[in-house]
Every structure is written in C-alpha cells, then in structure tokens.
Amino acid sequence: MAKLQQLFTQTQENYELIPQFLDQLLEADVYCLGVQDADNTIQFQVLETPDGEQAIPFFVELESIYSAFGSQVEHFTINTRKMFEMTQGATLVLNPTSELSKEFSPEEIQSILNMDTE
C-alpha cells in the first residue's frame, strides 16, 4: 500500500502519473471509517469538509487512521472500485487528515468509473 501512497505523492509534481494512480487506486483496498456488520452491511462515517459539506473519508494507509483517530476507531477495508460504486452521488475525500489529501466529487467519481469501463 505504501507504493500507492508514494504514487499519490508523486502525482503532485508529475500530473502525467494521475491516470496510473487512479488505475491503481481502483484496484486497491482502502480503509474507511465506519462499520461493516456480519451481513456485510456497510455504514460509512461521514466527516464535514472545510467548506461545510458532507464527505466520506477514506485512507490509503491504516496508520493515517490510527494517527488521526486512535487505534480504537471503527474502520473496515473495502476495494476502492466497490466503494466508488456504492457511494455514487457522495463526495469522497482521500486521506483527509494528512497534508496531502484529495477530494473526489460525485461527477469525478462517475467519470473515473466510466473511464475504467471503456
């Protein structure tokens, strides 16, 4: 997973890496705040963005959750593509508690999913 975080960091200096990052992100499992029960029912925890909007946070590395929320916080792992499909219409934020974060708008998520199926 560290490779994905490293690639995410590199996209800030080299925009040509963004498609590669998005491809790898869609294939990766990420960490979300919330609960997944025995029936696989998922409840995402929602955070408020600095703009006052609701967003679902997700993280590339588990350490990011632990350092921001403590190791007792409820979280689960999910494939990014599955999460994007489940949360269509919502705003998602990658690594919201770190210096480098990325907000994904509902339209952007839809276009990423559409790109992937072409």
Side-chain angles (χ1 to χ4, degrees):
M1 204 47 88
K3 280 185 178 178
L4 186 60
Q5 181 64 42
Q6 187 177 12
L7 186 59
F8 180 46
T9 303
Q10 291 170 347
T11 63
Q12 302 310 297
E13 293 161 15
N14 184 352
Y15 295 135
E16 292 174 12
L17 292 173
I18 291 174
Q20 182 184 350
F21 167 71
L22 292 174
D23 283 346
Q24 288 187 26
L25 180 64
L26 279 178
E27 299 304 316
D29 287 342
V30 291
Y31 302 95
C32 295
L33 297 176
V35 290
Q36 183 172 15
D37 65 21
D39 300 329
N40 279 334
T41 303
I42 291 176
Q43 286 185 302
F44 292 98
Q45 183 174 330
V46 177
L47 297 180
E48 197 167 296
T49 67
D51 304 335
E53 295 182 25
Q54 301 288 306
I56 297 171
F58 68 106
F59 301 83
V60 172
E61 296 177 324
L62 192 55
E63 293 76 33
S64 301
I65 289 181
Y66 289 166
S67 63
F69 302 99
S71 60
Q72 301 301 311
V73 71
E74 290 189 294
H75 65 278
F76 59 91
T77 307
I78 188 171
N79 172 266
T80 307
R81 179 191 320 277
K82 182 177 175 186
M83 179 186 63
F84 277 9
E85 290 168 353
M86 289 175 66
T87 59
Q88 286 187 39
T91 299
L92 305 177
V93 182
L94 174 62
N95 296 343
T97 56
S98 70
E99 289 176 21
L100 178 60
S101 66
K102 163 84 176 101
E103 189 171 301
F104 290 90
S105 69
E107 299 78 19
E108 188 176 6
I109 291 167
Q110 191 59 56
S111 72
I112 291 169
L113 289 171
N114 290 344
M115 253 183 356
D116 194 53
T117 56
E118 290 172 3

